[in-house]
Each structure stands twice: as C-alpha cells, then as structure tokens.
C-alpha cells in the first residue's frame, strides 16, 4: 500500500491527521477513458486445472485468447477452449439503460461505450472496477476458483437513489483458443433452466456452461449473434482477427443500495446460496497484489497445473502449454526459492514419466508430446544442483531418486541418441541437422529453423561438461564402485581440454556461438554467458570475465539480456509485425528476462557480494513493468531497443521465475 498523511495545524494547535490508502496497482478515470491505454492492460487468473480468465482491465477483448472462462476440454483435444467470452452489463435506472460493455468491431466501431462510466480500476486484492451512472455507483470484482473451472463476479451497489435492474448478456464462443468462430446453423440454440440461471451447450461433446446468480433472477431466452467482433492484437500479429459471438439471452436481477449479487459461470450447476461464502473464502486465501514481491508470488502460483496424470507447469499465458525446458528453468525461482520440495518432486516426476529415451518432452499440444530439445536433459543436472544448494538435499538422496535418469541421459548422449546427438572423439557434444532446432533458439520461418545452430553449441557443451562433472561428484560420494564414474570423468576431461580450443578465437577475442563443418559463428549472444554461469565451467577466470564484460556491455538491459548484440547486422530493434517478422526478430535482439538467472549466477560467481548493488538495481527496475501489460506479472519478452516494450505472452513462467530467483540471491547476499 501507499500511505498518504496530510497534517493540518489549526490556530489552537490541534492537529488533525487525514489518512487514506491507495492500492498498489490502480488507475483512475483519466486513464480508463483512454482506450489506447486500457487495451494494453490485461488481467489474468488461472487455476490448478489449467483453466483461466484473461481480458483487458475494462473487459474489451483484444485477443482470440481472451475470455472470462477458458477451460481445457480433454474430451475434444485437451486444449483450452473459450466458452464464455464476456458478459455485457446493462444498468436500468428509471427505464433508462446504461451499457457497461465494450467491444470493438471490424469497421473500427466501439460499441457500447461502457468505459466512459468507469471511475477506477484496482488490482488488490482482486481486480475491481468502479462504475458511476448519475447517482448510482456500482463496483464489479472478479475472482477465479482455485480448484474449479469457475469464475465469480460480484456486483455491489454502493450508492443508488432508487432500485436498479442489472441485466447480464453472456457472449459465448465455444471454440479452441487458437481458432475463431462464426455464425452457423450447427450451434445448439436451446437452453436448460437451472436455479437462478440457465445453461447452454453450443456443440456436441463440449461441456455445458452454467450461468447463475446468488440472488433470484429471471432469464429471458433471445438467441442472436453479434457479428464481426474485432481483436486488435491478433490483427497486429498478422492473424485472422474477426469472429461472431453467440448471445443466447439475458439474466435480470433487481438490486438496491447496499445490496450485491454474485454471478457464477462454470461447468456444473452450484447452489447459489454458497456463492457468497465461496467468494469471501477465496479472497482471504489470495496473496494480495500490494507490493512488487507479492505480485510476483501471486503470479508464480498460476503456472502450476495439478491433474490426475501428474503435476506440470504452464510455460506462459495465454497461449503456451507445458514445456520441459521452461519447467526446468522456472523451478529455481518458482519452486525452490519457496522451499517447496513437494511440488519440486511432483514436477520432476511428471517430466521423468513422460521421457522418450534421454529426452524430456519439450512441448505438450493436443494430447501429443514433442521432444526436440537437446538442452533440457542437461538443464536437469543444474536443477539437481540447485535442489542441493537451495533445499539442502544430499548427494546420496539425489542419486537414489534420480541416478537412473542421470545415467540414462549421460550414457545415451555418449553412445548417440535421436536428433543426431552424439559425443565426438574430443568429448564435445554434437547435435542436430539443418532441419532441426534443438536449443532454446528454436523458432521456425517458412518451415525451417531460423537459427538452427547445428553442430557444437557453446552453452550445450558447457551444460554437458557441468552434467558430467556433477555426476562424477555425486558418484564419488554415493556409489564409488559404479563403472560409469571413470567413463564420465574421462569424457569430462576431454571436454575441458577441447572447450577453449574449440570456442575461443584468440585472434579476435570473441567466442564462437556454434561450430559445424561449414561455419564458425561468432555472433555475440547470451549463450556464452550460460557457459560461465554453471557450477562447473571449462573456462579459466580470465576468459569468464571476458565473457561477462562483453555480456554487460552489449547484451544486458533493465529487462533481461538481448538475444543478439546490437552490433550485428542481423539485429532487430523491436519484435513486432506478422508471424514471419516476429519470428525473424525473436532471437535476433529480443530481450529475454529468463536470462537473468545465468547472469546472476555468473555475477555472484565472479564478484561475490560486490555484485549486490548492481543486482538490486536490476531487481528494482523490473517493478516498473508490473502494471504495464499483464497486471501483476512479467511478460515473455521485450524489445531489444529502449524503452523495451513488452511483447509475447503477458505472463511467462521463466520471466517471473528469473526475477524471483534474483530476489532470492539478493536476500542471500544480504544475509
């Protein structure tokens, strides 16, 4: 909270103190009537099943991914589907109607103009809008159920000279989040009456949507389509941006000053008498967004998905699913920094249970798993090192729990594995071909990887060396007679002897990013920073410092690290445009917050506590973004050039995790 104290001294020396509070994240009427401002501010809340609510702060959807109730439909494709796109409210006073909804249409029309009635938005402890119509003042609050695919919306009449009627129009989509829907004759126009509401199932095999009110209400069935609703963000990204939404009818409820009604939208009918208790109980359990750190902690919870087949992590909202690499990179900041050993083990179990040979699943989409990531198995070893250092796990317990997986990964890579992964005579790890993108720089353009980095990659081989050395270290304590100990140690020795010779260009003083038979790529990228951030590094301190200095000079920003130096002819200043333009820029200058984690480890490893002031400056700089795009969270990427506008997903697990890890390290240095 921000506190403002006004002290007034009167003639008789009495002092009157006027104290009031302002929410940590809030916007007033001056900002809220500006659509250019509000359409760039989004709210997000997910639950443990992977369902979520995502829209702009004024309720005008600008993405096809936006909706008040977006839920998995495993019986269809196991992807998220938008069932309830939005609810338009109409307040009726003396037979005069005031429409609170906001939609943009293909011809540029904004209708209705509900934003002109908004007086305030606050994010604490849950999103809250305040509307005023003449003498009537109404607040609207959202809360998303933690373990149920359900959103609750509470309307409270703070002031009203006379009773009002609140009319609610549900806009239904019933379609995959990656698609759009259009008016058709297949949609089921029937409804089912339920207590204080109605339910609809637009298409066969979908779950039904149940809309209810806590107070007695009346449903009027008046089905019709709203055509050519326009999604600005999709248009900007070069995608189809127009769809039709189905409104089956409307609910009406009578309210007077001091009264409230709670609206529930979910996948099953509930007892309306429980809505108030449920709403208040959930509010009490939420981490408030009343500080930067609390916002990060609040956001961190939203990536964890708990299902019958295991616990996994969403990479980012609103369009990413699960990703093995992102899960591993997020674990230190989201899980270990909180001391959450239980969730740590659950996440690793899911990754291990879904392995294919030595590879973790790198993408989970429509019931299919994809495994094209050579670095994820090697990040696994670093995460075990973090588990040991951050939670105090013993080497013997780590070997007992994860030794079989460690052996599978290392021996498979030594002997040769899928995707042309193989260990060369010099100990270095070779991976890929021209049609594969196996590292984190894995975007495709026109069906081919834009940065394939086929061959010997600097960070892959640094991770390879670290994995071998850590496995040897564990075996020396947990299983000294294991025959793999000597084999792994010999390979690690070869890597150390070969690494500097391979990747360091003594003539130019530059480190090669990757090497193959046709190319020695000397672009300055953050991959060399990853190499010097690891507990075991094959480079000497002088070369480590050289890499760190180059990184600080050319790649470091106040939003993370650039993916390519601005000195390169391939550098892209901003990540905007159609799909091809954005993919071209994605790893050619775009800033990634997740790279803060290796940057922090490298800084502390080289300079210890003297790095504290610089790390604190970096942490504090991120507070600026907490209300810029995704309210209370951190975006996936940022433009390479100042002012480093946010791009990509509005809430990314690796981004939030990196900043939380930064805070963890700062606190440790202070102690």
């Amino acid at each position: 909270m921000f506190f403002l104290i006004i002290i007034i001294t009167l003639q008789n020396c009495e002092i009157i103190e006027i104290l009031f509070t302002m929410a940590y994240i809030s916007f007033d009427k001056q900002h809220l009537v500006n659509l250019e401002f509000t359409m760039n501010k989004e709210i997000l809340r997910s639950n443990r099943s992977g369902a979520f609510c995502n829209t702009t702060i004024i309720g005008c959807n600008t993405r096809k991914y936006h909706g008040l109730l977006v839920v998995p439909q495993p019986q269809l494709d196991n992807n998220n589907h938008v069932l309830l796109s939005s609810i338009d409210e109409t307040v009726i006073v003396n037979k005069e109607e005031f429409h609170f909804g906001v939609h943009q249409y293909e011809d540029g029309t904004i209708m209705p103009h509900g934003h002109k009635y908004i007086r305030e938005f606050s994010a604490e402890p849950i999103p809250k809008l305040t509307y005023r119509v003449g003498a009537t003042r109404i607040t609207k609050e959202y809360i998303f159920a933690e373990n149920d695919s359900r959103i609750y919306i509470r309307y409270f009449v703070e002031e009203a000279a006379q009773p009002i009627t609140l009319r609610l129009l549900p806009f239904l989509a019933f379609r995959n989040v990656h698609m759009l829907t259009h008016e058709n004759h297949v949609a089921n126009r029937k409804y089912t009456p339920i207590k204080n509401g109605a339910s609809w199932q637009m298409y066969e095999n979908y779950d039904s949507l149940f809309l209810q009110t806590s107070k007695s209400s009346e449903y009027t069935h008046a089905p019709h389509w709203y055509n050519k609703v326009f999604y600005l963000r999709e248009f900007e990204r070069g995608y189809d941006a127009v769809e039709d939404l189905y409104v089956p009818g409307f609910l009406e409820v009578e309210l007077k000053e001091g009264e409230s009604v709670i609206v529930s939208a979910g996948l099953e009918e509930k007892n309306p008498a429980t809505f108030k208790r449920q709403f208040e109980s959930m509010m009490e359990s939420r981490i408030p967004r009343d500080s930067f750190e609390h916002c990060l902690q609040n956001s961190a919870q939203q990536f964890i998905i708990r299902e019958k087949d295991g616990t996994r992590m969403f990479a980012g909202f609103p369009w990413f699913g699960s990703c093995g690499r992102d899960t591993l990179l997020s674990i230190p900041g989201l899980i270990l920094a909180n001391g959450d050993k239980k969730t740590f083990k659950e996440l690793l179990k899911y990754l291990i249970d879904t392995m294919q040979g030595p590879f973790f699943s790198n993408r989970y989409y429509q019931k299919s798993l994809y495994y094209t990531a050579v670095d994820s198995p090697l990040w696994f070893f670093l995460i075990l090192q973090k588990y040991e250092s951050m939670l105090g796990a013993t080497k013997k317990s780590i070997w007992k729990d994860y030794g079989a997986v460690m052996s599978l990964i290392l021996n498979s890579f030594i002997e040769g594995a899928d995707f042309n992964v193989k260990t060369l005579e010099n100990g270095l790890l070779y991976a890929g071909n021209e049609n594969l993108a196996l590292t984190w720089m894995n975007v495709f353009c026109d069906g081919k990887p834009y940065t394939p980095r086929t061959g010997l990659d600097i960070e892959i081989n640094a991770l390879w060396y670290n994995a071998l050395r850590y496995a040897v270290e564990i075996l020396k304590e947990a299983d000294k007679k294991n025959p793999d100990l000597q084999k792994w140690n010999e390979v690690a020795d070869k890597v150390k002897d070969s690494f500097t010779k391979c990747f360091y260009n003594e003539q130019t003083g530059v480190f090669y990013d990757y090497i193959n038979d046709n190319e020695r790529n000397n672009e300055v990228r953050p991959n060399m920073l990853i190499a010097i951030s690891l507990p075991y590094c094959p480079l000497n301190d002088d070369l480590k410092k050289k890499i760190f200095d180059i990184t600080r000079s050319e790649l470091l920003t106040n939003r993370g690290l650039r993916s390519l130096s601005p000195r390169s002819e391939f550098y892209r200043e901003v990540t905007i445009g159609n799909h091809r333009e954005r993919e071209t820029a994605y790893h050619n200058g775009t800033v990634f917050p997740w790279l803060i984690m290796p940057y922090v480890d490298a800084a502390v490893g080289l300079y210890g506590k003297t790095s504290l002031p610089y790390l604190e400056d970096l942490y504090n700089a991120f507070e600026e973004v907490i209300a810029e795009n995704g309210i209370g969270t951190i975006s996936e990427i940022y433009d390479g050039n100042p002012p480093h506008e946010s791009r990509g997903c509005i809430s990314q697990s690796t981004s939030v995790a990196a900043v939380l890890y930064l805070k963890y390290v700062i606190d440790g240095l202070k102690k």
Side-chain angles (χ1 to χ4, degrees):
M1 292 284 191
F2 293 103
F3 295 92
L4 176 62
I5 299 177
I6 302 174
I7 302 177
I8 305 174
T9 304
L10 303 181
Q11 289 183 350
N12 59 2
C13 297
E14 292 180 354
I15 297 178
I16 301 175
E17 296 187 17
I18 304 173
L19 174 65
F20 64 90
T21 61
M22 182 185 300
Y24 177 67
I25 300 176
S26 64
F27 308 110
D28 59 19
K29 176 184 176 182
Q30 182 179 354
H31 292 101
L32 294 168
V33 296
N34 182 348
L35 288 179
E36 186 176 350
F37 177 87
T38 54
M39 286 188 178
N40 281 313
K41 311 291 184 190
E42 300 182 39
I43 55 174
L44 167 75
R45 189 73 203 185
S46 72
N47 68 11
R48 302 296 66 80
S49 72
F52 66 87
C53 160
N54 182 205
T55 184
T56 63
I57 60 174
I58 60 169
C60 180
N61 291 341
T62 60
R63 303 181 189 273
K64 60 189 174 188
Y65 304 96
H66 280 170
L68 293 182
L69 189 63
V70 185
V71 296
Q73 294 289 274
Q75 71 277 19
L76 295 175
D77 56 15
N78 215 37
N79 210 324
N80 275 324
H81 287 245
V82 181
L83 298 192
L84 179 61
S85 178
S86 62
I87 294 177
D88 275 19
E89 306 90 1
T90 298
V91 171
I92 304 172
V93 183
N94 270 343
K95 298 184 179 180
E96 187 174 0
E97 298 183 357
F98 301 90
H99 304 287
F100 288 179
V102 187
H103 299 278
Q104 185 171 11
Y105 291 88
E106 185 179 22
D107 62 1
T109 300
I110 302 292
M111 188 66 67
H113 295 91
H115 58 290
K116 70 181 182 181
Y117 301 116
I118 303 175
R119 295 297 178 264
E120 184 183 3
F121 168 86
S122 169
E124 182 198 339
I126 58 176
K128 178 180 179 180
L129 285 164
T130 301
Y131 295 84
R132 178 173 285 282
V133 177
T136 304
R137 181 181 174 92
I138 299 174
T139 61
K140 171 184 173 182
E141 297 171 285
Y142 299 90
I143 198 162
F144 206 73
E146 194 77 6
N147 299 303
D148 181 20
S149 295
R150 185 174 303 275
I151 186 171
Y152 293 96
I153 307 173
R154 179 167 67 183
Y155 299 91
F156 174 56
V157 182
E158 290 187 344
E159 301 173 15
Q162 55 193 299
I164 68 167
T165 299
L166 179 64
R167 179 183 296 162
L168 305 169
L169 280 76
F171 283 65
L172 310 186
F174 277 75
R175 46 88 175 163
N176 187 298
V177 289
H178 301 295
M179 303 174 184
L180 293 170
T181 191
H182 298 283
E183 182 174 358
N184 61 83
H185 299 293
V186 179
N188 180 8
R189 296 164 65 91
K190 296 179 181 179
Y191 79 100
T192 301
I194 57 176
K195 187 173 178 60
N196 293 3
S199 72
W200 311 274
Q201 184 189 31
M202 283 185 66
Y203 304 107
E204 188 178 358
N205 296 325
Y206 267 93
D207 285 328
S208 293
L209 171 67
F210 294 80
L211 188 69
Q212 298 172 270
T213 58
S214 58
K215 285 174 60 71
S216 178
S217 59
E218 181 180 346
Y219 174 68
T220 300
H221 194 57
H224 60 288
W225 289 83
Y226 279 69
N227 301 113
K228 297 185 178 180
V229 177
F230 179 71
Y231 300 129
L232 177 62
R233 297 292 164 253
E234 302 308 320
F235 176 78
E236 292 174 343
R237 287 156 49 83
Y239 297 131
D240 291 339
V242 179
E243 83 167 337
D244 306 327
L245 294 171
Y246 174 65
V247 177
F250 56 87
L251 283 166
E252 287 188 341
V253 59
E254 304 297 323
L255 295 169
K256 59 185 179 181
E257 183 175 281
E259 287 188 335
S260 65
V261 61
I262 296 174
V263 178
S264 162
L267 303 185
E268 59 183 9
E269 184 177 358
K270 290 283 189 180
N271 180 2
T274 67
F275 292 172
K276 181 179 179 181
R277 184 173 68 252
Q278 292 289 333
F279 193 96
E280 293 176 349
S281 175
M282 287 187 291
M283 280 191 65
E284 291 175 359
S285 67
R286 293 290 160 88
I287 298 174
R289 295 185 180 98
D290 58 0
S291 69
F292 179 38
E293 187 173 0
H294 279 171
C295 283
L296 295 175
Q297 292 171 350
N298 188 303
S299 179
Q301 298 176 334
Q302 302 197 68
F303 301 106
I304 307 301
I305 310 301
R306 302 186 189 278
E307 299 175 315
K308 292 181 181 179
D309 60 348
T311 299
R312 56 193 177 95
M313 185 185 292
F314 262 26
F317 290 97
W319 55 74
F320 281 132
S322 297
C323 171
R325 177 189 293 118
D326 287 46
T327 297
L328 292 167
L329 292 173
S330 300
I331 281 175
L334 297 189
I335 308 301
L336 297 180
N338 287 330
D340 190 352
K341 182 178 179 180
K342 179 177 181 293
T343 303
F344 169 80
K345 284 183 163 290
E346 290 173 349
L347 288 169
L348 288 198
K349 183 179 185 304
Y350 178 83
L351 290 177
I352 292 168
D353 287 348
T354 55
M355 288 181 77
Q356 180 175 285
F359 298 99
F360 295 112
S361 59
N362 198 51
R363 190 181 176 214
Y364 179 55
Y365 181 68
Q366 295 190 2
K367 297 184 179 181
S368 297
L369 296 170
Y370 301 84
Y371 293 87
T372 51
V374 68
D375 56 336
S376 294
L378 303 177
W379 284 114
F380 177 74
F381 289 81
L382 179 64
I383 298 314
L384 294 180
Q385 288 168 295
K386 298 290 186 187
Y387 176 42
E388 180 182 349
S389 63
M390 295 174 72
L391 293 191
T394 65
K395 290 181 175 61
K396 288 184 178 180
S397 69
I398 290 174
W399 181 252
K400 178 183 177 182
D401 293 339
Y402 304 111
V405 180
M406 298 167 74
S407 298
L408 171 64
I409 293 169
L410 295 181
N411 290 331
S412 295
F413 280 13
I414 289 172
E415 296 163 7
D418 290 343
F419 313 122
N420 200 25
V421 175
K422 57 188 177 183
T423 300
L424 304 182
E425 285 296 321
N426 61 5
L428 297 179
L429 194 66
Y430 187 101
N433 59 49
E434 62 181 5
N435 296 315
L436 291 171
L438 300 177
T439 73
W440 73 278
M441 294 187 164
N442 59 357
V443 297
F444 277 70
C445 280
D446 302 324
K448 292 187 176 182
Y450 194 84
T451 47
R453 304 181 70 234
T454 301
L456 303 173
D457 303 291
I458 188 168
E459 86 283 7
I460 298 301
N461 277 279
L463 286 163
W464 172 234
Y465 177 75
N466 179 70
L468 289 163
R469 284 290 189 229
Y470 184 58
V472 167
E473 177 189 332
I474 282 187
L475 280 184
K476 286 180 178 179
E477 184 170 322
D479 191 4
K480 293 181 180 179
K481 296 182 180 180
N482 193 306
D484 284 332
L485 192 154
Q486 182 178 350
K487 176 173 63 175
W488 295 346
N489 198 44
E490 288 176 353
V491 176
D493 287 342
K494 288 182 179 180
V495 175
K496 186 172 184 179
D497 290 341
S498 305
F499 194 92
T500 302
K501 298 174 185 176
C502 176
F503 289 105
Y504 183 54
N505 185 339
E506 292 186 0
Q507 294 181 341
T508 62
V510 173
F511 291 83
Y512 296 118
D513 185 57
Y514 64 89
I515 296 171
N516 55 44
D517 292 338
N518 302 315
E519 183 181 8
R520 288 179 173 266
N521 187 282
N522 59 5
E523 297 286 2
V524 175
R525 296 185 179 275
N527 301 309
M528 61 182 178
L529 174 77
I530 295 172
I532 67 168
S533 71
L534 303 170
Y536 290 101
C537 176
L539 296 172
N540 63 42
D541 283 350
D542 288 341
L543 292 179
K544 287 183 185 179
K545 290 178 180 178
K546 181 184 284 286
I547 287 176
F548 191 79
D549 289 343
I550 294 172
T551 298
R552 286 196 65 180
S553 172
E554 300 187 34
L555 303 180
L556 181 64
T557 75
N558 60 1
R559 297 292 176 263
L561 273 70
R562 295 184 178 97
S563 47
L564 180 66
S565 169
R567 298 178 182 228
S568 171
E569 63 178 301
F570 302 108
Y571 178 76
R572 298 292 182 269
E573 298 178 355
V574 295
T575 310
I576 58 175
N578 60 33
H579 178 76
R580 191 177 193 282
E581 291 167 335
R582 285 181 286 108
E583 296 296 80
T584 300
Y586 196 69
H587 291 124
N588 285 316
T590 299
V591 173
F592 288 82
W594 79 263
L595 291 164
I596 290 170
M597 188 173 80
Y599 178 82
V600 170
D601 285 343
V604 174
L606 287 170
Y607 301 107
K609 195 170 183 178
T610 60
S611 62
L612 181 57
Y614 306 101
L615 299 183
E616 286 185 306
D617 287 346
L618 184 57
Y619 176 78
N620 292 332
F622 263 95
E623 188 168 10
E624 299 171 1
V625 310
I626 214 72
E628 283 184 357
N629 190 8
I631 300 299
T633 188
I634 299 177
S635 297
E636 173 193 1
I637 53 176
Y638 293 83
D639 286 339
N641 273 21
H644 306 296
E645 294 285 346
S646 61
R647 308 291 181 192
C649 276
I650 65 164
S651 184
Q652 189 77 6
S653 64
T654 52
S655 299
V656 175
V659 181
L660 281 170
Y661 181 75
L662 173 58
K663 181 66 165 60
Y664 173 87
V665 172
I666 289 171
D667 290 345
L669 291 175
K670 287 182 177 179
K671 292 178 183 178

